[in-house]
Amino acid sequence: MATQAEAPMPPANADLQTTWAYLEEGVDHIMTRLKEGISYSKYMNLYTVAYNYCVSSRMHGNLDSSVGLGGRTGANLMGSDLYNNLIRYFVGHLTELRNKSDFLVDEALLRYYAHEWDRYTTGANYVNRLFTYLNRHWVKREKDEGRKNVYQVYTLALVQWKLNFFLHVQNKHTKLASAILRLIEAQRNGETIDQGLVKKVIDSFVSLGLDETDTNKASLEVYKEHFEGPFIAATEKYYKTESEAFLAENTVSDYLKRAEERLREEEDRIERYLNANTRKTLISKCEHVLIREHAEKMWDDFQQLLDYDKDEDLQRMYALLARIPEGLEPLRKKFEDHVKRAGQAAIAKLVGEGGANADSLEPKVYVDALLEVYRKNQHTVQRSFKNEMGFVAALDKACRDFVNRNAATGTSTTKSPELLAKHADALLRKSNKLAEEVELEEALNQTMVLFKYIDDKDVFQTFYTTKLSKRLIHGVSASDEAEASMISKLKDACGFEYTNKLQRMFTDMSLSKDLTDQFKERIEQSGDATGADISLSILVLGTNFWPLNPPSHEFIIPREILPTYERFTRYYQNKHSGRKLTWLWNYSKNELRTNYLNQKYILMTSSYQMAILIQYNNAETLSLDELFAATSISKDLLTQILGVLVKAKILINEETDQYDLNPNFKSKKIRVNLNLPIKAEVKAEAVDVLKAVDEDRKYVIQATIVRIMKARKTLKNQALIQEVISQINQRFTPKIPDIKKVKNCRDEPFHHLII
């Protein structure tokens, strides 16, 4: 291929006209025909000519001072000659490009613009390196002396592009920006566009930004003015029209998907061809148009999504409304009300109309119903609402409401803690139906879920303590590990003081075992065989830690166990001088062996049942009065105990107040349990527990008032009441009349107070 002969390189002392003629041909080749290539020698010759002219100190004719250099001479003026000729070249070159663009529109215009931009900026980079000496010395000196509108050669090329090409095209009906916006709208409508082309044009907007205070810094002024502003306005208009039309013809659920998709598309658009600084403005505008302006419809539809368990739609609604301020607050309130209604409805279904089944409600059924509502909605919070703190708080508030106040509790604040304590008691008994320890542990964890919502935790504590005492006394705990685990959970929830008595009860059980062993050892050492056929285990329990009440009536100790009773009493008083023993016959249990039947049975009885049955060693029939005289058990209680024995067919009651031993008693079991709860005892237990709770509360309130007044010295009445409530409400919710009653009770002795 034939090559054009290169013009000879001007001498080092060549004048401006000769120098520029040589340089202009080279610059034009680089700017317009770079794809044809340029030899290394030619490029270096161009560099050398520019260098030689800049370092020349001679004055040449026809100097141009168009950049306002005044009377400057020598090398300074040489630099200005080249600089001004470069400006004239860029203006002429860009004028040609501009003229060719006048009849182009839309994508054709963008392609022409992008192509020429690539060629121009590539060439300008090479030209910039040609004039390195000019940049380093003349341009730098001019800028250091504060002269404006003087730039590095590459920056100068961009400035000229902006003034002589970009603004000319853009100012004609915003042709460039409008062409880009039409392509973006086409993409939003589902059409495929050349995203690389869009990115190239938009990037040029960014490159044309110039910070006059520091030309090395990027400025988004051009980008924001000529593209971002019109783009945001077009985006708002587009989505406002689309969202209104879409909602008019589709459901809110469908709109949630659409809005989520549109926001994802805009995020992708930013990544692919927009400047990252647009993200905040664009996403904020989209959120306003797509979410905020339609938030009311979303809030209104939220309840329906909850009712039909639309998890995916709930997730979308949460994710969308979380983007706008206060977008979630109405949802939290609606969710709280929804959970409250669900809890109330679940319990109302159990107790029936008018609370018909409230008194006979099984603790397990009640607890399971509450837990089912909690678990279902807790899963919703976890899955759909990402465990957001506001929804967690709404769930907790709703659960606290329906756990403490529902159709089963009525106006009582003690029903829920009582049933929960009874449920825990059933779990911790040997008779529970949980096969594995892991299952029991999980069941206890679920119990603690409801426990945290109980207002009157002191009621639970008292019922739980009472039930624990029965489990320990009768030896029916599922395991010591399970008991210790539950106490540990309660301690974590409420602190050491809450479980102090429970832990002391276990200590008493351990000490009692040692005491029984020591007593038996003493008997063996004494050689006294009196009562040797009686095997016993004695529990000595501290009055302050065990919620046990002695019998309210006299009890005649059967002569068969009297020697053992007297021997242990003497042994204990000798071992612990000054201590008083109170025998709790109403909690004791015994085992009797039958000798009057062909089949030998072991009867498991209470001490009262034992005292009654032993009377039949001397007679086969006894009247109610005779049994009363022999035992001193109150007739009301005695009648109920006899009723249990008659029902078990140990005794026969064919005549009024006459009870006969049944000679034909039979049972499928060798060990027959007769020690069953008596209704009167169960009812009395509940009454005693609530009485104890009321008494304890009075002392707690007294102690709190004293503690506050010691710290504050003086305090107004209302402030004192509020302070008392705030300090106690973790344990129970005190009633204001109770606080006033305690506060005004001047005659109460202060040695009762716990300070």
Side-chain angles (χ1 to χ4, degrees):
M1 184 174 66
T3 58
Q4 185 177 356
E6 293 184 7
M9 181 177 137
N13 59 353
D15 61 12
L16 175 62
Q17 186 175 357
T18 305
T19 300
W20 180 246
Y22 182 81
L23 288 175
E24 184 175 27
E25 188 278 328
V27 169
D28 188 63
H29 181 95
I30 292 171
M31 295 297 293
T32 61
R33 304 187 303 279
L34 189 59
K35 285 187 178 181
E36 297 175 6
I38 183 170
S39 68
Y40 178 74
S41 60
K42 173 67 178 291
Y43 189 79
M44 289 308 298
N45 287 343
L46 290 168
Y47 179 90
T48 303
V49 169
Y51 171 81
N52 287 340
Y53 190 81
C54 285
V55 299
S56 170
S57 60
R58 293 185 303 106
M59 297 297 292
H60 300 281
N62 302 317
L63 297 181
D64 192 318
S65 58
S66 62
V67 291
L69 297 176
R72 299 171 69 84
T73 61
N76 288 334
L77 207 50
M78 302 303 108
S80 82
D81 293 337
L82 293 184
Y83 192 83
N84 289 320
N85 276 290
L86 277 172
I87 292 175
R88 278 193 292 272
Y89 172 79
F90 286 138
V91 170
H93 175 64
L94 292 168
T95 301
E96 290 181 22
L97 299 183
R98 183 175 70 196
N99 293 336
K100 292 178 182 177
S101 71
D102 283 344
F103 301 102
L104 299 174
V105 293
D106 294 339
E107 191 169 347
L109 173 63
L110 296 179
R111 291 196 180 280
Y112 175 77
Y113 179 92
H115 173 74
E116 293 301 334
W117 170 259
D118 269 351
R119 187 168 68 160
Y120 184 83
T121 52
T122 303
N125 258 313
Y126 282 97
V127 172
N128 185 60
R129 287 196 286 273
L130 277 182
F131 292 94
T132 299
Y133 191 84
L134 183 72
N135 286 333
R136 286 180 181 172
H137 296 278
W138 184 83
V139 171
K140 182 178 182 302
R141 186 159 45 248
E142 294 297 309
K143 291 173 70 67
D144 288 346
E145 292 179 3
R147 300 195 179 275
K148 296 188 179 299
N149 302 321
V150 176
Y151 311 100
Q152 297 274 323
V153 170
Y154 180 76
T155 305
L156 174 66
L158 296 183
V159 170
Q160 296 306 317
W161 175 279
K162 174 184 172 184
L163 295 174
N164 295 286
F165 183 45
F166 172 79
L167 290 177
H168 174 81
V169 177
Q170 176 65 5
N171 288 340
K172 282 189 175 181
H173 311 296
T174 62
K175 284 174 69 175
L176 275 176
S178 297
I180 298 171
L181 295 179
R182 280 191 285 273
L183 277 184
I184 293 174
E185 183 172 344
Q187 186 182 39
R188 285 171 174 160
N189 290 333
E191 297 179 29
T192 301
I193 67 169
D194 186 345
Q195 296 183 111
L197 173 63
V198 175
K199 177 173 175 54
K200 194 171 291 184
V201 177
I202 290 177
D203 284 349
S204 79
F205 284 47
V206 177
S207 298
L208 294 175
L210 184 66
D211 188 336
E212 292 291 344
T213 60
D214 184 356
T215 55
N216 293 320
K217 285 185 180 179
S219 170
L220 295 176
E221 180 184 351
V222 173
Y223 173 80
K224 288 181 176 293
E225 178 185 349
H226 293 281
F227 174 74
E228 187 183 272
F231 170 69
I232 296 299
T235 298
E236 179 179 19
K237 181 180 178 182
Y238 181 87
Y239 283 131
K240 185 176 180 64
T241 302
E242 183 192 69
S243 60
E244 290 174 355
F246 191 91
L247 272 171
E249 299 178 1
N250 298 275
T251 64
V252 170
S253 292
D254 291 334
Y255 179 74
L256 295 174
K257 296 177 187 176
R258 186 57 169 255
E260 183 181 61
E261 181 183 338
R262 284 306 200 185
L263 286 166
R264 194 163 47 242
E265 287 176 6
E266 295 305 320
E267 289 282 2
D268 184 62
R269 201 179 319 284
I270 295 166
E271 294 296 326
R272 290 186 180 277
Y273 53 76
L274 298 180
N275 185 269
N277 288 282
T278 301
R279 170 178 272 106
K280 184 177 181 181
T281 307
L282 173 60
I283 298 305
S284 176
K285 181 60 68 177
C286 290
E287 288 170 350
H288 179 83
V289 177
L290 294 173
I291 304 172
R292 185 185 295 278
E293 291 192 355
H294 303 293
E296 290 283 352
K297 289 185 178 179
M298 296 186 198
W299 294 334
D300 291 343
D301 210 58
F302 180 66
Q303 186 61 53
Q304 186 177 355
L305 301 184
L306 285 174
D307 292 341
Y308 291 97
D309 299 324
K310 300 283 188 179
D311 283 338
E312 289 187 5
D313 290 337
L314 286 171
Q315 289 176 34
R316 288 193 186 94
M317 184 176 289
Y318 166 78
L320 291 173
L321 289 171
R323 289 168 166 266
I324 64 173
E326 305 303 323
L328 294 178
E329 191 55 37
L331 299 192
R332 296 186 190 112
K333 181 58 181 170
K334 286 175 180 287
F335 178 69
E336 180 185 328
D337 293 340
H338 170 79
V339 177
K340 282 182 186 177
R341 288 194 300 271
Q344 298 288 356
I347 302 304
K349 185 177 179 181
L350 287 181
V351 301
E353 291 187 14
N357 304 320
D359 292 336
S360 59
L361 196 58
E362 286 292 323
K364 183 180 186 309
V365 175
Y366 178 74
V367 169
D368 285 348
L370 294 176
L371 283 173
E372 177 61 27
V373 175
Y374 167 79
R375 279 194 290 262
K376 178 181 178 182
N377 289 285
Q378 195 270 337
H379 289 157
T380 299
V381 171
Q382 192 172 14
R383 280 194 316 272
S384 302
F385 308 139
K386 311 301 180 192
N387 273 333
E388 192 266 339
M389 294 299 294
F391 282 97
V392 172
L395 175 64
D396 288 343
K397 189 175 179 182
C399 288
R400 186 168 289 108
D401 184 271
F402 73 73
V403 165
N404 291 286
R405 290 167 287 281
N406 54 56
T409 64
T411 57
S412 170
T413 61
T414 63
K415 187 72 171 180
S416 272
E418 176 184 351
L419 289 172
L420 189 61
K422 288 180 177 178
H423 175 67
D425 176 58
L427 291 175
L428 291 165
R429 286 177 173 268
K430 288 179 180 177
S431 56
N432 75 60
K433 296 179 181 180
L434 301 173
E436 301 290 337
E437 287 186 13
V438 176
E439 293 180 28
L440 175 56
E441 184 68 14
E442 178 57 27
L444 294 178
N445 286 334
Q446 292 299 305
T447 300
M448 291 304 297
V449 167
L450 294 184
F451 174 78
K452 76 176 182 179
Y453 295 126
I454 294 292
D455 283 342
D456 293 345
K457 290 181 171 59
D458 59 335
V459 176
F460 175 92
Q461 179 192 34
T462 310
F463 271 106
Y464 185 86
T465 305
T466 302
K467 295 297 182 183
L468 173 61
S469 68
K470 301 286 182 65
R471 291 197 300 277
L472 295 179
I473 289 171
H474 299 309
V476 294
S477 285
S479 70
D480 288 345
E481 291 77 10
E483 294 286 4
S485 175
M486 186 63 182
I487 291 175
S488 176
K489 296 179 197 302
L490 292 171
K491 183 178 179 181
D492 290 342
C494 298
F496 172 77
E497 284 297 324
Y498 193 84
T499 58
N500 184 32
K501 287 186 178 181
L502 305 179
Q503 291 171 320
R504 289 299 297 266
M505 289 164 72
F506 281 93
T507 302
D508 282 354
M509 293 297 292
S510 178
L511 293 174
S512 294
K513 183 179 182 303
D514 294 341
L515 185 65
T516 299
D517 292 341
Q518 293 166 7
F519 176 62
K520 288 179 178 178
E521 187 178 335
R522 174 64 66 87
I523 292 176
E524 291 175 2
Q525 291 173 353
S526 68
D528 187 349
T530 306
D533 59 335
I534 297 176
S535 175
L536 82 160
S537 176
I538 298 173
L539 300 177
V540 179
L541 312 175
T543 305
N544 292 332
F545 310 118
W546 292 75
L548 306 173
N549 296 316
S552 57
H553 52 77
E554 294 294 325
F555 176 63
I556 299 175
I557 301 170
R559 57 187 176 81
E560 287 82 354
I561 64 170
L562 187 59
T564 304
Y565 161 79
E566 292 174 341
R567 179 180 293 172
F568 180 80
T569 301
R570 288 194 301 272
Y571 169 78
Y572 187 81
Q573 288 175 343
N574 289 334
K575 188 176 179 68
H576 300 287
S577 177
R579 291 189 184 178
K580 180 184 177 182
L581 283 178
T582 301
W583 290 78
L584 304 175
W585 300 107
N586 46 332
Y587 296 102
S588 302
K589 62 178 183 176
N590 309 81
E591 290 186 0
L592 300 178
R593 191 167 53 246
T594 62
N595 294 320
Y596 68 98
L597 301 169
N598 293 331
Q599 174 66 55
K600 303 293 185 182
Y601 294 101
I602 295 176
L603 306 179
M604 294 180 286
T605 68
S606 68
S607 289
Y608 293 157
Q609 289 173 329
M610 175 271 293
I612 292 169
L613 291 175
I614 279 180
Q615 307 307 316
Y616 287 91
N617 283 335
N618 304 315
E620 293 184 357
T621 180
L622 291 166
S623 68
L624 180 64
D625 289 337
E626 289 171 327
L627 289 170
F628 172 69
T631 63
S632 283
I633 300 172
S634 65
K635 285 191 175 181
D636 287 343
L637 181 58
L638 183 61
T639 302
Q640 291 188 58
I641 296 171
L642 288 168
V644 172
L645 297 176
V646 169
K647 187 175 181 180
K649 299 182 180 178
I650 293 288
L651 300 179
I652 300 171
N653 177 219
E654 294 178 341
E655 299 178 27
T656 304
D657 292 343
Q658 195 70 28
Y659 299 89
D660 304 331
L661 189 65
N662 181 9
N664 300 315
F665 173 77
K666 289 183 180 180
S667 174
K668 294 179 181 179
K669 298 179 180 179
I670 300 300
R671 296 177 64 84
V672 181
N673 182 23
L674 301 175
N675 192 9
L676 302 174
I678 296 173
K679 288 183 179 180
E681 292 180 350
V682 173
K683 188 173 182 181
E685 177 188 280
V687 171
D688 289 343
V689 166
L690 297 179
K691 185 177 178 182
V693 168
D694 288 340
E695 200 64 24
D696 286 345
R697 285 184 175 182
K698 183 174 77 171
Y699 293 135
V700 169
I701 293 172
Q702 283 180 335
T704 304
I705 292 173
V706 170
R707 190 164 53 245
I708 292 170
M709 295 311 298
K710 276 189 173 182
R712 300 290 187 87
K713 306 304 181 185
T714 59
L715 202 63
K716 289 185 177 180
N717 186 59
Q718 193 60 36
L720 174 61
I721 290 173
Q722 292 304 318
E723 186 69 20
V724 170
I725 292 173
S726 69
Q727 289 195 20
I728 296 177
N729 63 9
Q730 290 298 316
R731 183 179 175 88
F732 65 91
T733 305
K735 297 175 182 176
I736 293 178
D738 292 342
I739 298 174
K740 290 181 176 179
K741 184 177 179 182
V742 171
K743 185 171 69 67
N744 294 331
C745 192
R746 303 290 186 185
D747 298 330
E748 289 291 334
F750 277 86
H751 63 262
H752 284 306
L753 301 186
I754 304 169
I755 300 171

